[in-house]
Amino acid sequence: QYRIRVINNTTSDTTAKFAISQIPNILVQMEILNERCAGGSITFAPQIAPPTNIYTYQWYKDGQEIPGQTNPTLTKNNLQLTDAGIYNVKITGCQEINSDPAILSFNQLTEITGQPKDTTVCPGSDVTLSVDAIGGSLSYQWKKNGTDISGEVRATYFIPSVEQSNTGTYTCLVTGICGSPIISNPAYVVVNPNPVTGLNFTNDSTVCSGSTVRLVANGTYGSQFTYIWKKNGTLLSQSGPELLLENIASSASGTYTVQAKNECNLIAPE
């Protein structure tokens, strides 16, 4: 506290308080890189040597003054993508100093851009399922029939030498910094089992000499079939789905069997 005497024909004394300013000193600068999610918040707060209330402050974004932002710290809530930029504060005391810049950027919202695909394979084949996603710090968890698959935490899931037990519905849970976890579309993995053969007659199995019998076979559990026809256990030359017996003689009597063979070279039982 100081006393001031004013002399102008008369003498009067008064007192007043004076603040002695200093040269500002930033002890700890702001983080240079700051990544956030849209809708989040951030506080820029360089650590300034006390006393801090003797200085004036002005915040800047991309070199332009931010109106009304004259506090030692700057807080922004409900961040929008337009808030991205370079921030710094000018501190004025006996001298002006500027903080180091702090960059505000945004992580992408977590999003799956490529879904795993259905696949039908033969036993012993390899299967690869994959998911494509964007976002920040992504993590993955593959599931089979809704249950986590232990250790399968990459964007690609490889199943070597599949067998029937690998048939199922597979999904991948993708988690990132921004947004809620997302589950992929289901991918159906089918490991072809042994085919099953069906056989149809065009007429009764007891026929008259000189007539025609047409036997038609079909297969399930596959997409491409060949057929193994036999008469009384002896292999016939026919390999298509139809066996045509024309102008039947008594020598044609016998037991006819057929087995379907699928693209996996799996053969149906007789």
Side-chain angles (χ1 to χ4, degrees):
Q1 181 170 292
Y2 293 81
R3 175 176 292 179
I4 300 175
R5 173 167 290 181
V6 179
I7 301 175
N8 184 15
N9 296 325
T10 62
T11 299
S12 64
D13 290 339
T14 187
T15 59
K17 293 182 178 180
F18 292 84
I20 300 176
S21 189
Q22 301 177 19
I23 298 175
N25 180 27
I26 298 176
L27 301 176
V28 181
Q29 296 284 352
M30 298 178 288
E31 291 286 339
I32 297 176
L33 300 177
N34 302 270
E35 294 182 336
R36 293 293 188 275
C37 300
S41 63
I42 190 170
T43 296
F44 296 109
Q47 184 179 335
I48 303 164
T52 59
N53 60 353
I54 62 175
Y55 307 126
T56 60
Y57 303 87
Q58 177 60 58
W59 284 90
Y60 293 81
K61 177 194 173 191
D62 298 329
Q64 301 297 315
E65 285 189 8
I66 305 175
Q69 296 301 326
T70 56
N71 294 317
T73 62
L74 171 64
T75 297
K76 297 184 72 66
N77 297 311
N78 191 25
L79 289 168
Q80 303 300 310
L81 297 181
T82 52
D83 291 317
I86 301 173
Y87 291 80
N88 73 288
V89 62
K90 181 172 70 175
I91 308 169
T92 303
C94 289
Q95 293 181 9
E96 289 183 354
I97 64 169
N98 288 285
S99 70
D100 290 345
I103 300 171
L104 173 61
S105 61
F106 286 87
N107 285 303
Q108 286 182 297
L109 185 68
T110 303
E111 180 182 357
I112 293 177
T113 57
Q115 300 285 352
K117 295 179 174 57
D118 298 344
T119 184
T120 299
V121 295
C122 299
S125 301
D126 297 336
V127 170
T128 299
L129 301 174
S130 62
V131 64
D132 297 322
I134 57 174
S137 299
L138 295 177
S139 62
Y140 305 86
Q141 177 60 65
W142 285 93
K143 301 172 181 285
K144 178 187 176 188
N145 299 330
T147 301
D148 289 356
I149 304 171
S150 178
E152 295 303 332
V153 292
R154 297 179 179 85
T156 298
Y157 175 37
F158 177 69
I159 313 172
S161 190
V162 295
E163 53 191 34
Q164 289 299 322
S165 60
N166 296 119
T167 293
T169 302
Y170 292 81
T171 55
C172 186
L173 180 69
V174 181
T175 304
I177 290 178
C178 299
S180 301
I182 305 174
I183 195 76
S184 72
N185 293 342
Y188 302 100
V189 174
V190 177
V191 182
N192 273 330
N194 286 338
V196 174
T197 308
L199 181 62
N200 296 310
F201 292 86
T202 58
N203 46 19
D204 293 335
S205 57
T206 301
V207 295
C208 299
S209 295
S211 62
T212 297
V213 173
R214 183 168 170 258
L215 306 177
V216 180
N218 60 78
T220 56
Y221 302 124
S223 59
Q224 300 176 19
F225 295 95
T226 57
Y227 297 87
I228 302 169
W229 291 93
K230 294 179 183 179
K231 176 190 174 185
N232 297 327
T234 300
L235 185 66
L236 301 176
S237 61
Q238 176 64 273
S239 61
E242 180 179 294
L243 179 63
L244 189 64
L245 304 176
E246 298 180 295
N247 193 23
I248 284 181
S250 59
S251 60
S253 297
T255 300
Y256 290 83
T257 60
V258 62
Q259 295 168 278
K261 182 171 74 172
N262 64 17
E263 64 273 20
C264 298
N265 289 321
L266 297 174
I267 300 174
E270 291 192 49

